[in-house]
């Protein structure tokens, strides 16, 4: 279970207010600001992208001094040849426009003076430039609680503060219409024009010099309300102001020490997933501060979830060369849905002809790892051979087909022999193996081996995985692709379709993947799998557990110790799992996350309740006493935000009887 900051479980309402996700009563009546329509970029300076490699400002007479200027600019999140957005930017005075706004980085205890110059004909309001200590800074809404800087049209104002609480914070600006009677209203309406006016505020512990190679990634978004207060059909998400395919391409060499800070400045949850490698979660925080973990609490993961206003410090070492990605695991935030024109709702399928990396969009970053001299790829032989067939049966979900992953058992299965979920794949740590993927379906597909450490060409992202001179395409219908791997660790993993051209994931293309220690065999009676997914076609398909919408009872023996492995691979949903005696949770022991054993400080007995986000796996251990229990799985669908709601099914509860005799 991920360690949490003291205020991790606090309400995110104040942060949502800051982000403009809770509309004020007058929002609909205010219309657009004098900044102009969000798509009118004619004649505007074109903004480049902020990479947060250095702090704005300079030391002057013992005070870190920053001079910022608010002005309009043209913002091209999808690259210069794609749609442009009119943006309000806040940049260093006299410098070219950049999106997002600049980084302000100082050591705790350093006095800071920020001068704000407003070139707009409307009032500028800036929040978040203050110390996060005490009541002012605690909790997710810490960026909202201080007194904002209010700068009249054409005027200049000054902000002074001395940050004392280390952490990864943000500041945010808005251009407002005049006419307030008592200062800025608490629910500041937020126009799409303003969404580029956000930046990072990093406070380092006193006496600790920042790593010059550390990178900061700020997750932001764009959406714009119409004159009636409603929003365009879907938010668009960015990392450091860019959206795939225009996001920055990161480049490292095998063996490098990589250090990231990832900051979520949206009103949405983002489970961020790294392909090919584990990262260490070194610190987590929100707008009130952060917790830095010691060795006994620092866990490995491949997916880390960030709530609104939260940040994490991650470190990792790339061990395999080739192309990899870091992305949000929610389909709505990282797929072709993010590439639709901002003025129209995304379609139910990608544009005709889209393939490969065109099927990704939004919160995706490409990573290239260069091989160090003398690197030799995995050539171990002989290998255990498995044949995995992608099958299809028409008419399973109304007019839509069902798809399946079926392991060959002596002879190839029938082409329409689908079952949900896919066949369990069980390998042994250190055992060389190869999996031949035979595509007998009707569309080209990639298969991603989620959480497994393997070579890039086998990672399964069509149009991206592989090497600069050998990029892997999707497995075409009728073709076979052979994946080689030698798993370096035992654990709980998954495999699933990646960059699919429709909704094939929810239509059945996912399965469990276990790696056991040498000499172990999988005992399905004591080692129970719970693959949490969806089953259906289109958006918001119904939830399923082990491929069933109505899972049957579970029978266990009292006094025996069971390993319970949970894996979540739905397109967009949130899952909460509880093992209940009546309505009270039993006690279980947390063993592992994302296939990696937890450090000793986190292997604890605790109430059997766990939120599991898309892309996460958890292992628990339970020794039951006789009785009747309930495994409750609650699925919450993506309902948007208060100011940007979307129609979605109500939360669904699946109660599975657990009978212990």
């Amino acid at each position: 279970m991920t360690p949490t900051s003291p205020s991790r479980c606090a309400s995110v309402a104040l942060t949502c207010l800051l982000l403009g996700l809770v509309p004020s009563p007058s929002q609909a009546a205010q219309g657009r600001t004098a900044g102009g329509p969000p798509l009118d970029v004619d004649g505007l300076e074109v903004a480049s992208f902020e990479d947060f490699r250095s702090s704005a400002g300079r030391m002057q007479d013992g005070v870190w001094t920053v001079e910022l200027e608010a002005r309009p600019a043209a913002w091209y999140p999808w690259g210069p040849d794609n749609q442009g957005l009119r943006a309000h930017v806040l940049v260093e005075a006299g410098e070219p426009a950049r999106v997002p706004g600049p980084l302000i980085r100082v050591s705790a205890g350093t006095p800071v003076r920020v001068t704000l110059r407003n070139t707009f004909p409307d009032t500028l309001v800036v929040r978040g430039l203050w110390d996060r200590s005490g009541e002012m800074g605690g909790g997710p809404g810490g960026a909202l609680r201080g007194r904002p800087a209010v700068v009249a049209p054409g005027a200049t104002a000054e902000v002074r503060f001395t940050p004392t609480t280390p952490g990864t914070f943000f500041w945010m600006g808005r251009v407002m219409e005049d006419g307030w009677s008592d200062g800025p209203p608490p629910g500041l309406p937020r126009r799409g024009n303003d969404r580029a006016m956000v930046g990072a505020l990093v406070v380092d512990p006193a006496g600790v010099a920042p790593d010059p190679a550390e990178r900061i990634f700020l997750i932001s978004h764009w959406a714009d309300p119409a004159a009636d207060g409603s929003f365009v059909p879907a938010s668009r998400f960015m990392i450091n102001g860019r959206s795939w395919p225009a996001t920055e391409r990161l480049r490292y060499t095998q063996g490098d020490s990589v250090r990231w800070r990832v900051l979520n400045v949206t009103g949405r949850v983002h489970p961020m997933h790294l392909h090919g490698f584990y990262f260490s979660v070194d610190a987590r925080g929100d707008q009130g501060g952060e917790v830095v973990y010691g060795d006994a609490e620092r866990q490995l993961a491949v997916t880390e979830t960030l709530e609104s206003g939260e940040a994490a410090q991650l470190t990792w070492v790339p061990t395999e060369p080739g192309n990899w990605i870091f992305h949000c695991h929610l389909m709505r935030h990282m797929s072709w849905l993010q590439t639709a024109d901002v003025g129209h709702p995304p379609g139910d399928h990608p544009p005709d002809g889209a393939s490969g990396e065109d099927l990704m969009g939004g919160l995706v970053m490409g990573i290239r790892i260069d091989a160090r001299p003398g690197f030799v790829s995995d050539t171990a032989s002989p290998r255990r051979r498995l044949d995995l067939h992608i099958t299809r049966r028409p008419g399973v979900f109304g007019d839509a087909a069902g798809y399946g992953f079926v392991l060959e058992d002596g002879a190839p299965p029938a082409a329409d022999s689908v079952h949900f979920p896919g066949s369990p794949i069980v390998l042994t740590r250190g055992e060389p193996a190869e999996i031949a993927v035979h595509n007998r379906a009707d569309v080209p597909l990639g298969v991603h081996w989620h959480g497994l450490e393997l070579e890039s060409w086998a990672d399964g992202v069509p149009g991206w995985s592989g090497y600069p001179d050998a990029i892997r395409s999707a497995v075409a219908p009728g073709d076979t692709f052979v994946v080689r791997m030698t798993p370096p660790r035992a654990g709980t993993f998954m495999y699933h379709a990646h960059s699919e051209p429709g909704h094939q994931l929810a239509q059945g293309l996912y399965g469990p993947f276990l790696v056991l220690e040498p000499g172990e065999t999988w005992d399905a009676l004591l080692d129970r799998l719970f693959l949490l997914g969806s089953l259906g076609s289109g958006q918001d398909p119904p939830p399923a557990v082990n491929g069933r919408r109505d899972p049957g009872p579970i029978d266990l023996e009292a006094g025996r110790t069971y390993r319970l492995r949970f894996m979540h691979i739905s397109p967009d949903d949130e899952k909460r799992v509880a093992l209940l005696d009546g309505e009270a949770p039993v006690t279980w022991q947390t063993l592992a996350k994302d296939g990696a054993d937890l450090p000793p400080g986190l292997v604890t007995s605790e109430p059997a309740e766990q939120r599991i986000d898309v892309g996460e796996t958890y292992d628990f251990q339970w020794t039951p006493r006789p009785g009747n229990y309930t495994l409750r799985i609650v699925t919450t669908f993506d309902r948007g935000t208060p100011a940007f709601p979307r129609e979605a099914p109500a939360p669904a509860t699946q109660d599975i009887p657990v009978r212990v005799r």
Side-chain angles (χ1 to χ4, degrees):
M1 183 176 186
T2 303
T4 58
S5 62
S7 55
R8 165 93 163 146
C9 297
S11 168
V12 298
L14 286 176
T15 298
C16 290
L17 199 63
L18 169 66
L19 298 175
L21 301 171
V22 179
S24 67
S26 61
Q27 178 168 331
Q30 290 187 17
R32 302 197 184 282
T33 68
L39 305 183
D40 179 12
V41 297
D42 290 345
L44 292 179
E45 173 190 10
V46 176
S48 57
F49 295 105
E50 176 60 57
D51 58 16
F52 299 121
R53 289 181 180 271
S54 60
S55 175
R58 66 191 187 282
M59 187 65 74
Q60 186 174 358
D61 298 328
V63 177
W64 191 259
T65 303
V66 184
E67 298 178 2
L68 301 180
E69 178 179 80
R71 61 180 192 259
W75 175 22
Y76 289 88
W78 300 275
D81 297 328
N82 288 291
Q83 189 169 28
L85 304 172
R86 186 183 188 93
H88 297 160
V89 298
L90 194 59
V91 298
E92 283 201 84
E95 295 295 323
R98 297 173 75 87
V99 176
L103 165 69
I104 299 175
R105 186 166 194 168
V106 296
S107 296
T110 303
V112 177
R113 179 175 66 243
V114 181
T115 301
L116 301 167
R117 178 171 176 262
N118 180 16
T119 69
F120 288 104
D122 294 320
T123 299
L124 171 69
V125 178
V126 179
R127 292 180 179 271
L129 296 175
W130 49 63
D131 183 26
R132 271 26 178 218
S133 63
E135 291 299 320
M136 178 175 291
L144 181 64
R145 290 197 172 102
R147 183 175 180 81
V150 180
V151 191
T156 299
E158 187 176 274
V159 177
R160 289 177 177 262
F161 65 105
T162 301
T164 59
T165 302
T168 307
F169 311 117
F170 66 90
W171 57 262
M172 184 173 286
R174 296 175 181 173
V175 177
M176 302 292 299
E177 294 177 348
D178 294 326
W180 305 315
S181 58
D182 298 312
L188 297 180
R190 185 141 173 74
R191 306 301 179 195
N193 294 0
D194 290 325
R195 294 186 182 273
M197 197 180 288
V198 59
L201 170 64
V202 174
V203 181
D204 295 301
V208 177
D211 182 347
E214 178 184 70
R215 295 301 311 274
I216 298 170
F217 301 122
L218 184 148
I219 301 171
S220 62
H221 74 297
W222 185 94
D224 194 66
D228 63 359
S230 62
F231 278 69
V232 294
S235 292
R236 301 296 186 265
F237 292 94
M238 295 88 182
I239 300 176
N240 290 356
R242 310 187 197 196
S243 184
W244 180 277
T247 47
E248 180 183 357
R249 299 294 193 264
L250 306 174
R251 189 166 184 175
Y252 302 104
T253 299
Q254 277 182 288
D256 283 352
S257 294
V258 181
R259 179 179 294 275
W260 292 348
R261 291 179 187 248
V262 186
L263 172 61
N264 178 9
V265 188
T266 75
R268 310 295 282 277
V269 173
H270 301 293
M272 301 302 295
H273 174 56
L274 177 64
H275 282 217
F277 313 102
Y278 280 84
F279 50 75
S280 169
V281 183
D282 297 337
R284 283 190 62 98
D286 56 24
Q287 292 307 294
E290 68 182 3
V291 174
V292 179
Y293 303 124
D295 292 342
E297 296 177 312
R298 192 178 302 123
Q299 69 180 50
L300 296 177
V302 298
T303 304
E304 186 70 3
T305 296
L306 296 177
E307 296 271 10
S308 177
E310 287 189 332
Q313 293 188 45
L314 314 176
T315 57
W316 57 283
V317 176
T319 54
E320 289 287 340
N323 289 349
W324 308 92
I325 60 173
F326 178 61
H327 67 98
C328 178
H329 217 293
L330 300 182
M331 291 287 288
R332 286 185 174 88
H333 299 176
M334 58 78 61
S335 70
W336 43 268
L337 292 165
Q338 285 288 310
T339 64
D341 186 286
V342 296
H344 300 87
D348 199 47
H349 290 276
D352 291 340
S355 62
E357 63 176 287
D358 296 335
L359 294 171
M360 297 189 294
L363 296 184
V364 182
M365 296 192 78
I367 306 168
R368 177 178 172 182
I369 307 299
D370 294 324
R372 60 175 178 259
F375 169 77
V376 177
S377 63
D378 181 7
T379 57
S381 183
R383 294 176 178 271
R384 179 185 169 197
R385 165 89 176 208
L386 293 86
D387 287 273
L388 184 69
H389 296 258
I390 303 176
T391 57
R392 177 181 180 272
R393 180 183 298 166
V396 174
F397 306 110
D399 294 335
Y403 293 85
F405 285 121
V406 184
L407 276 177
E408 184 172 318
D409 185 12
D416 63 351
S417 177
V418 301
H419 55 72
F420 311 122
S423 300
I425 294 177
V426 182
L427 297 183
T428 298
R429 178 178 62 83
E431 176 189 52
E434 64 181 24
I435 303 172
V437 179
H438 308 279
N439 186 1
R440 301 168 70 186
D442 59 338
V443 292
L445 292 163
V447 182
H448 174 52
W449 314 93
H450 185 106
L452 288 152
E453 298 152 289
L454 72 177
E455 295 183 349
S456 173
W457 60 268
D459 190 46
V461 182
W464 180 255
S465 293
Y467 309 98
D469 57 347
I471 301 299
R472 292 294 179 180
S473 58
V475 185
D479 278 358
T480 295
F481 177 65
V482 178
V483 175
R484 295 195 307 267
M485 64 179 75
T486 304
R489 73 179 71 233
T492 303
F493 308 98
M494 302 176 283
Y495 65 103
H496 60 85
H498 201 289
S499 304
E500 59 269 32
H503 301 281
Q504 286 82 11
L505 174 68
Q507 289 169 250
L509 287 185
Y510 56 87
F513 196 124
L514 304 184
V515 179
L516 304 179
E517 292 289 354
E520 289 185 344
T521 57
W522 179 41
D523 184 345
L525 293 178
L526 294 177
D527 195 340
R528 299 296 182 108
L529 309 184
F530 300 93
L531 187 51
L532 313 180
S534 303
L535 200 58
S537 63
Q539 298 187 20
D540 302 315
V545 180
N546 291 340
R548 292 187 60 181
R549 296 176 181 173
D550 54 346
I554 301 168
D555 291 313
L556 305 178
E557 292 185 36
R560 304 196 73 177
T561 298
Y562 292 85
R563 190 179 189 105
L564 310 178
R565 304 180 190 249
F566 290 89
M567 300 150 272
H568 181 187
I569 194 59
S570 69
D572 291 286
D573 310 334
E574 176 190 301
K575 306 280 188 181
R576 292 185 182 270
V577 173
L579 184 54
L580 305 174
D581 182 358
E583 290 298 317
V586 304
T587 297
W588 61 16
Q589 187 177 54
T590 310
L591 300 178
K593 181 185 185 298
D594 293 350
D597 292 341
L598 294 180
L602 297 181
V603 179
T604 58
S605 295
E606 56 189 8
E609 298 175 302
Q610 182 64 53
R611 169 177 163 175
I612 304 178
D613 286 295
V614 181
E616 292 186 317
T617 73
Y618 282 91
D619 290 27
F620 302 99
Q621 185 172 276
W622 182 44
T623 305
R625 294 180 294 183
N628 294 316
Y629 304 87
T630 301
L631 178 62
R632 176 168 295 166
I633 301 169
V634 179
T635 297
T636 302
F637 298 90
D638 178 14
R639 304 188 69 83
T641 65
F644 180 23
R646 63 177 296 271
E647 293 185 6
T653 298
Q654 295 166 293
D655 280 348
I656 306 174
V658 180
R659 304 179 298 204
V660 181
R661 302 293 183 260

